[in-house]
Amino acid sequence: QKGADHLAQVFETREQLNTDYLAAKALYDKERYTQELALLQLKKDKIESVTALARETLRQTQLKESIKQDEADMKIFTDAQTKLRQMVFDQNVEAVIAAKNSDSQEKK
């Protein structure tokens, strides 16, 4: 009987150790997974931050390119407008000279 009681106590102790081990392992795994999840969250936040920065940089670059294009278009327009004004002025001068020459011819 004494041997059977001892054997039963050994099995009970073994069961308790197994239960304690599994509980400790579950707690350790939970802590490890919690830390891994926190690390992954930090990585996700960093990626989102870098992505947002890249998008903003791209937007600013596109805006700068658009402004450069607008400035180039404005320069072309201004140059054409200046040439047109010069042509009109030249035509007016030629007309005045022609009119004066015509007046001079008539007076002769």
Side-chain angles (χ1 to χ4, degrees):
Q1 181 67 28
K2 193 174 185 184
D5 288 343
H6 180 66
L7 192 57
Q9 187 180 7
V10 166
F11 279 121
E12 191 178 308
T13 303
R14 184 170 179 238
E15 281 285 317
Q16 187 59 45
L17 287 173
N18 250 353
T19 302
D20 292 348
Y21 168 77
L22 290 175
K25 183 172 181 344
L27 189 61
Y28 169 78
D29 287 347
K30 179 185 175 206
E31 184 63 30
R32 190 183 81 203
Y33 294 142
T34 300
Q35 289 176 358
E36 287 179 13
L37 183 61
L39 183 60
L40 289 173
Q41 185 63 43
L42 286 173
K43 288 180 180 180
K44 178 183 173 241
D45 292 347
K46 184 176 180 181
I47 289 169
E48 287 174 350
S49 174
V50 168
T51 302
L53 180 62
R55 282 190 182 121
E56 179 61 20
T57 301
L58 177 61
R59 188 188 69 77
Q60 288 180 8
T61 300
Q62 289 172 337
L63 185 60
K64 286 178 185 175
E65 290 300 318
S66 176
I67 289 170
K68 283 181 186 176
Q69 185 61 49
D70 289 349
E71 288 171 347
D73 292 346
M74 191 64 181
K75 181 170 178 2
I76 291 169
F77 173 76
T78 303
D79 290 349
Q81 191 177 34
T82 301
K83 286 179 184 176
L84 181 61
R85 285 181 179 155
Q86 186 63 47
M87 286 173 54
V88 169
F89 177 79
D90 291 347
Q91 286 177 351
N92 288 340
V93 167
E94 288 174 10
V96 168
I97 291 172
K100 283 186 177 184
N101 285 341
S102 175
D103 285 346
S104 295
Q105 291 292 330
E106 287 177 12
K107 288 182 181 179
K108 288 184 181 180

